[in-house]
Amino acid sequence: MKKAASSPGSHQKLNKREGDLEIDCLETFIRFIEGKTNLEYVLYRGQNQDWPLLPKLSRVKIRGKNELSVEREMLENFKRLAKPHITRMPCNDWEWLALAQHHGMATRLLDWTSNPLAALWFAVSQPAIEPGVIYVLFVDKKAFLKPEELRNLDPFKETSPKVFQPEISTIRIQSQSGWFTTQQLDKKTQNFIPFNKASSFSKDIQRLQIPSKCFSEIRYQLDKLGINRFTLFQDLDGIAAYAEWSHTLLPDEQEIDDTATKGKKL
């Protein structure tokens, strides 16, 4: 079995919060899934580092105007320029935001997935010094926006957290079992509140931590289970990145014998 190469984070001390679970291998994660997530609706978000649960819109530097007005303008530009490249048009702004988000544009949305292994891959897909994290959201079905609500509600006027799955499903969203949440808006500051701090969901989230020294081993194990950049993106970008990874080594990886070679499915 392959062993991860030593990295600057190999001897790190995790700043664990009370109730955090450390995921040091795939088996530990699967035991957690089997024992703690027996509810019908559980969503996961994997992060390479434990940055706040804020959307990209709150993490980029906005030119001039406030981020909310800029968001509308960005989406209108995206709509105008994206139409020649889309075979099926989104039906509403929720779907447009989801499409733009999955292609890298800053929006008010946070990405989640109903596939726990996909979330684990996003947490460990790249080397890091800091621990990776997975946020687990135990959500009541009543919190989901229904299709008719997506058609009738204006996402730019919603100030409380929402959970939804867009009706339109690009290959990327489908491959990643994608879901989305919106943020609670602080009416005084007009800034978004981190999702895990929102009063309606703060008690429904658990955080798991993954030591960075374990990333390489878990990454290889996930590939053997068919969870990798190719299966999660399924486009030319994903294929190119997977082909490269299959024949090269990331900084936290080391050469392994032929029987354990990654990327066998390529």
Side-chain angles (χ1 to χ4, degrees):
M1 178 63 69
K2 169 194 168 294
K3 294 185 178 180
S6 175
S7 71
S10 295
H11 304 290
Q12 67 199 328
K13 291 183 179 179
L14 301 181
N15 295 318
K16 293 178 67 180
R17 298 189 304 223
E18 184 178 355
D20 282 356
L21 173 68
E22 181 176 302
I23 303 297
D24 57 359
C25 64
L26 184 59
E27 183 181 0
T28 303
F29 187 57
I30 291 175
R31 284 202 303 267
F32 168 81
I33 298 301
E34 291 178 339
K36 301 295 184 180
T37 63
N38 54 356
L39 300 176
E40 187 176 0
Y41 296 103
V42 184
L43 300 179
Y44 308 85
R45 176 176 170 83
Q47 298 184 171
N48 193 247
Q49 296 181 34
D50 191 16
W51 52 76
L53 285 183
L54 285 169
K56 186 177 179 181
L57 188 64
S58 294
R59 294 183 275 114
V60 295
K61 189 173 182 180
I62 300 296
R63 294 185 186 182
K65 306 173 185 177
N66 66 63
E67 61 189 37
L68 299 183
S69 61
V70 167
E71 182 188 23
R72 281 184 179 271
E73 293 178 10
M74 284 195 300
L75 187 64
E76 290 305 315
N77 285 340
F78 179 80
K79 288 180 182 180
R80 177 173 55 83
L81 299 172
K83 286 178 180 178
H85 305 278
I86 300 174
T87 56
R88 178 186 172 191
M89 291 296 132
C91 298
N92 51 61
D93 279 346
W94 297 92
E95 293 182 1
W96 275 111
L97 284 170
L99 182 63
Q101 169 82 3
H102 259 270
H103 285 280
M105 196 182 88
T107 75
R108 66 181 56 215
L109 305 184
L110 272 179
D111 294 283
W112 297 77
T113 175
S114 56
N115 183 341
L117 295 182
L120 182 60
W121 182 86
F122 278 105
V124 306
S125 62
Q126 292 296 320
I129 296 177
E130 298 294 324
V133 296
I134 295 177
Y135 281 94
V136 185
L137 173 61
F138 301 91
V139 61
D140 192 301
K141 186 179 179 181
K142 296 178 182 177
F144 297 162
L145 285 177
K146 300 178 179 61
E148 59 271 21
E149 292 178 302
L150 291 175
R151 290 191 292 269
N152 297 325
L153 292 178
D154 183 347
F156 300 106
K157 294 181 179 179
E158 291 300 309
T159 58
S160 60
K162 305 293 182 184
V163 182
F164 77 99
Q165 185 178 42
E167 290 184 12
I168 188 170
S169 198
T170 65
I171 292 178
R172 184 175 292 190
I173 294 175
Q174 187 176 43
S175 300
Q176 297 173 14
S177 303
W179 287 74
F180 301 92
T181 57
T182 61
Q183 310 293 118
Q184 183 171 327
L185 188 68
D186 186 318
K187 295 181 180 178
K188 292 183 178 180
T189 65
Q190 289 295 292
N191 294 323
F192 291 115
I193 300 171
F195 189 80
N196 51 321
K197 304 296 183 183
S199 58
S200 57
F201 289 105
S202 57
K203 296 180 180 179
D204 302 319
I205 295 179
Q206 183 170 354
R207 187 180 74 161
L208 315 178
Q209 285 196 338
I210 311 162
S212 62
K213 64 182 179 181
C214 303
F215 282 17
S216 175
E217 184 69 38
I218 294 174
R219 195 183 303 135
Y220 273 68
Q221 292 173 329
L222 287 172
D223 184 49
K224 297 305 178 187
L225 296 177
I227 306 296
N228 49 51
R229 188 171 294 276
F230 167 62
T231 58
L232 291 176
F233 287 83
Q234 295 198 18
D235 54 23
L236 288 177
D237 291 341
I239 292 170
Y242 182 68
E244 178 181 308
W245 178 75
S246 298
H247 299 283
T248 60
L249 294 171
L250 293 175
D252 64 346
E253 297 174 349
Q254 64 184 21
E255 195 72 58
I256 55 178
D257 61 64
D258 290 340
T259 62
T261 302
K262 61 185 178 181
K264 283 284 190 180
K265 286 189 175 182
L266 186 66

